[in-house]
């Protein structure tokens, strides 16, 4: 399992690295592509401007020739506006190639040639002489060559950067990534297939175990039924016969005999109580009760009514504050409050009447962060059950909730060690928590936390 987990984590990390690397390469390729597009656009503008300048000069030259051949001033229109036409284009070219010294030199040369050509045009037009036409042709050829060099330089710059280093290695990158990804996918498939087969095997084993557990549960229910019915019948008979012996032969039995019969009756009653509590606890674990809205105030009044003989015997006082309505299992809550109040009365100080105070407040999970930090933001209904009894040391706050765990002998305080185990089980069934706080001879406080639904 650890090896498979390690492989899955490693595959995930490698896949993440590959994805990030590929994203970086694609981003760099995108940046380089944009830069190349800008270079192409720049070269297009330079070539377009040089072509425009060349066309303006050609039109001026054509107009000069037409005028010299026909002596018609109509042909002089391109010649007359030549400087106004070429100046913006030439200035634009200077700006476009400002970062290229070689292009600047070529443009300076082109500027000189264009000025010379314009001077020749003026001279020939002014003198109406055809003598400088050959020289004009030579200058025109030189200007064309300069413009061709400028255009060739731009073309060369575009071609030189057309295939950058990322585009050169990109096919190899993609090939390597594809092979690696294919390997990872294949190995992952094998691992997943193996995991699926093992999980299928575990599922079959789990189903078999569930069948066995269900069979055990049926047997346990049969045992529980026997415990609750068949085992209690002999105990009832023991109590009945011991009572009849004590009543019928009271005069014939000495004090030892009467004491023995009393102990038999006490043991039988204690055994019946243990069986009853065990059945209650087993029913809590098994569940089956429907959830409902429970009036906690009415429920506590019912518990106090049931415990009225013990309350009057110990002269106990029960203070019940305003109680809420709790969504839960009514029978389970009844058993829980009965166990808490019964314990508070039972473990009272000798000669001091028990005082039990039950209060309710709404609170946050801040008081439960020692159990789980995730409870901090949750809301709870806290019901507190506090008494003035003998208390106990805080080192036993967890032990007291274990079944059949007692802090005192039966000779000191009567009890079966199941009551607080029932309390914890009921709170677990309600997804709640119980926290005990106490000190010796300072009484005990049991805080019951019922979670509120999240809004």
């Amino acid at each position: 399992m650890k090896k498979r987990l390690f492989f899955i984590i490693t595959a995930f990390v490698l896949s993440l690295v590959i994805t990030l690397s590929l994203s970086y390469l694609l981003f760099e390729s995108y940046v380089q592509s944009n830069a190349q597009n800008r270079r192409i656009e720049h070269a297009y503008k330079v070539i377009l401007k040089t072509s425009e300048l060349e066309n303006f000069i050609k039109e001026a030259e054509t107009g000069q020739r037409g005028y010299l051949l026909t002596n018609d001033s109509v042909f002089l229109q391109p010649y007359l506006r030549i400087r106004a036409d070429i100046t913006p284009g030439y200035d634009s070219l200077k700006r476009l190639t400002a970062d290229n010294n070689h292009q600047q030199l070529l443009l300076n040369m082109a500027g000189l040639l264009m000025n010379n050509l314009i001077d020749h045009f003026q001279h020939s037009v002014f003198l109406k002489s055809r003598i400088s036409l050959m020289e004009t042709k030579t200058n025109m050829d030189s200007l064309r060559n300069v413009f061709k060099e400028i255009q060739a330089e731009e073309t060369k710059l575009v071609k030189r950067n057309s295939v950058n280093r990322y585009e050169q290695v990109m096919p190899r990158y993609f090939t390597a990534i594809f092979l690696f990804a294919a390997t990872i996918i294949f190995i992952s498939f094998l691992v997943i297939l193996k995991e699926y087969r093992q999980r299928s095997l575990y599922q079959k084993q789990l189903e078999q175990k569930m069948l066995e557990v269900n069979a055990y549960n049926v047997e346990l229910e049969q045992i529980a039924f026997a415990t609750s019915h068949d085992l209690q019948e002999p105990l009832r008979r023991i109590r009945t016969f011991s009572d009849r012996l004590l009543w019928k032969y009271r005069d014939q039995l000495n004090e030892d005999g009467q004491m023995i019969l009393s102990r038999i009756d006490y043991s039988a009653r204690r055994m019946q109580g243990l069986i009853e509590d065990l059945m209650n606890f087993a029913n809590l674990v098994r569940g089956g009760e429907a959830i409902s809205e429970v009036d906690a105030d009415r429920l506590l009044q019912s518990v106090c009514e049931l415990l009225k003989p013990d309350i009057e015997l110990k002269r106990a006082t029960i203070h019940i504050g305003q109680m809420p309505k709790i969504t839960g299992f009514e029978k389970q809550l009844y058993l829980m409050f009965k166990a808490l109040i019964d314990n508070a009365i039972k473990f009272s100080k000798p000669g001091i009447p028990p005082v039990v105070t039950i209060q309710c407040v709404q609170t946050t999970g801040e008081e439960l962060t020692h159990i789980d930090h995730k409870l901090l933001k949750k809301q709870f209904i806290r019901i507190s059950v506090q008494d003035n009894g003998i208390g106990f040391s805080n080192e036993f706050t967890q032990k007291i909730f274990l079944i059949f765990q007692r802090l005192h002998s039966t000779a000191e305080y009567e009890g079966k060690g199941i009551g607080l185990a029932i309390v914890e089980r009921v709170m677990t069934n309600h997804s709640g928590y119980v926290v005990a706080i106490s000190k010796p001879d300072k009484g005990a406080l049991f805080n019951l936390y019922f979670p509120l639904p999240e809004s």
Side-chain angles (χ1 to χ4, degrees):
M1 179 64 74
K2 290 184 178 179
K3 290 183 179 179
R4 290 196 297 272
L5 181 62
F6 175 76
F7 172 79
I8 292 171
I9 294 174
T10 303
F12 172 77
V13 173
L14 289 176
S15 301
L16 181 63
V17 171
I18 289 171
T19 303
L20 293 176
S21 301
L22 183 58
S23 300
Y24 173 75
L25 290 173
L26 291 175
F27 175 75
E28 284 294 327
S29 179
Y30 171 76
V31 171
Q32 293 293 330
S33 178
N34 284 341
Q36 182 67 4
N37 290 335
R38 288 193 296 270
R39 281 191 289 269
I40 292 173
E41 184 180 0
H42 179 272
Y44 173 76
K45 289 180 180 179
V46 171
I47 292 172
L48 182 63
K49 291 296 181 183
T50 54
S51 298
E52 287 179 355
L53 291 177
E54 186 176 353
N55 287 334
F56 288 143
I57 296 297
K58 283 181 180 180
E59 289 178 359
E61 182 190 22
T62 303
Q64 175 214 21
R65 291 177 183 275
Y67 174 74
L68 293 176
L69 292 173
T70 63
N71 205 23
D72 188 349
S73 60
V74 175
F75 289 99
L76 292 178
Q77 289 302 319
Y79 157 73
L80 294 175
R81 64 172 186 269
I82 184 64
R83 289 192 182 275
D85 288 338
I86 68 173
T87 300
Y90 183 78
D91 292 340
S92 179
L93 274 175
K94 292 289 285 186
R95 289 192 298 271
L96 286 171
T97 60
D99 59 342
N100 192 321
N101 293 330
H102 181 64
Q103 293 287 64
Q104 290 286 300
L105 291 175
L106 291 175
L107 277 176
N108 290 336
M109 189 182 302
L112 290 175
L113 289 171
M114 285 189 292
N115 285 330
N116 289 336
L117 283 168
I118 293 171
D119 289 341
H120 283 297
F121 294 160
Q122 290 177 344
H123 183 71
S124 60
V125 169
F126 181 75
L127 297 178
K128 295 183 180 180
S129 171
R130 303 176 187 177
I131 298 173
S132 61
L133 288 178
M134 290 303 297
E135 188 175 353
T136 299
K137 181 180 181 304
T138 304
N139 286 335
M140 277 298 298
D141 291 338
S142 299
L143 181 61
R144 289 192 189 95
N145 292 333
V146 172
F147 281 153
K148 285 181 180 179
E149 286 189 43
I150 292 173
Q151 294 174 357
E153 178 69 16
E154 290 296 324
T155 304
K156 183 174 69 175
L157 289 173
V158 171
K159 288 182 178 181
R160 186 173 68 189
N161 295 286
S162 61
V163 181
N164 55 63
R165 62 188 180 92
Y166 293 100
E167 291 175 341
Q168 289 175 343
V169 299
M170 191 65 73
R172 283 180 285 175
Y173 279 141
F174 274 103
T175 302
I177 290 171
F178 173 78
L179 292 175
F180 183 80
T183 304
I184 292 294
I185 291 171
F186 179 72
I187 297 175
S188 300
F189 172 77
L190 294 178
V191 172
I192 292 172
L193 182 61
K194 184 178 180 181
E195 183 71 17
Y196 172 76
R197 289 176 176 174
Q198 288 187 347
R199 286 183 179 271
S200 299
L201 178 61
Y202 294 155
Q203 182 70 24
K204 291 179 180 178
Q205 292 176 350
L206 181 61
E207 291 175 356
Q208 182 64 31
K209 291 293 183 183
M210 288 297 296
L211 292 174
E212 294 177 4
V213 169
N214 290 333
Y216 293 152
N217 285 336
V218 171
E219 293 179 1
L220 287 174
E221 288 182 359
Q222 293 174 351
I223 294 172
F225 181 82
T227 301
S228 60
H229 295 84
D230 298 343
L231 292 183
Q232 290 198 48
E233 179 61 25
L235 291 174
R236 283 194 292 270
R237 288 181 175 273
I238 290 173
R239 290 191 61 190
T240 301
F241 287 126
S242 64
D243 288 342
R244 295 174 82 179
L245 277 173
L246 188 61
W247 175 77
K248 189 172 184 180
Y249 299 101
R250 180 186 301 274
D251 296 335
Q252 300 177 26
L253 292 173
N254 57 20
E255 291 184 2
D256 289 340
Q258 293 180 10
M259 182 186 67
I260 291 171
L261 285 176
S262 297
R263 287 185 177 181
I264 291 173
D265 183 68
Y266 170 77
S267 298
R269 283 189 292 107
R270 179 172 172 78
M271 187 64 182
Q272 278 186 318
L274 279 171
I275 292 173
E276 182 181 348
D277 287 343
L278 274 174
M279 285 305 303
N280 289 333
F281 188 79
N283 290 331
L284 292 176
V285 175
R286 184 172 53 188
E289 183 184 356
I291 197 167
S292 62
E293 190 175 63
V294 181
D295 187 345
D297 185 70
R298 180 183 59 80
L299 192 70
L300 285 168
Q301 295 297 338
S302 300
V303 171
C304 291
E305 188 66 26
L306 177 71
L307 298 175
K308 188 175 182 180
D310 294 330
I311 293 173
E312 292 177 349
L313 181 64
K314 288 286 189 80
R315 293 180 295 128
T317 304
I318 312 294
H319 297 292
I320 302 175
Q322 186 175 0
M323 291 291 113
K325 291 186 177 180
I326 302 172
T327 301
F329 306 103
E330 184 171 5
K331 292 180 180 179
Q332 295 185 21
L333 293 172
Y334 183 87
L335 288 174
M336 180 184 70
F337 286 120
K338 175 178 174 293
L340 286 171
I341 297 175
D342 186 48
N343 271 9
I345 296 172
K346 188 183 302 177
F347 294 101
S348 60
K349 296 177 183 177
I352 300 177
V355 177
V356 183
T357 304
I358 305 173
Q359 295 177 325
C360 174
V361 295
Q362 184 172 332
T363 183
T364 65
E366 186 176 357
E367 301 173 10
L368 299 172
T369 52
H370 64 283
I371 299 175
D372 190 347
H373 288 285
K374 295 179 181 178
L375 301 174
L376 180 63
K377 297 181 180 179
K378 293 188 176 182
Q379 296 289 322
F380 293 87
I381 291 176
R382 187 189 70 196
I383 297 179
S384 302
V385 180
Q386 187 169 15
D387 61 57
N388 63 337
I390 60 174
F392 53 87
S393 177
N394 274 330
E395 63 180 291
F396 301 115
T397 53
Q398 297 301 320
K399 182 180 178 181
I400 58 175
F401 293 109
L402 299 177
I403 192 168
F404 296 133
Q405 293 295 321
R406 295 174 48 86
L407 303 182
H408 308 87
S409 65
T410 54
E412 294 177 301
Y413 293 94
E414 184 180 355
K416 309 179 193 72
I418 298 179
L420 292 181
I422 290 176
V423 171
E424 185 179 48
R425 169 51 63 175
V426 171
M427 292 307 298
T428 300
N429 291 347
H430 287 79
S431 301
Y433 303 88
V434 55
V435 177
I437 304 171
S438 181
K439 288 182 179 179
D441 295 325
K442 299 294 183 181
L445 171 64
F446 292 90
N447 287 326
L448 311 172
Y449 295 88
F450 293 90
L452 287 173
E454 294 184 4
S455 58

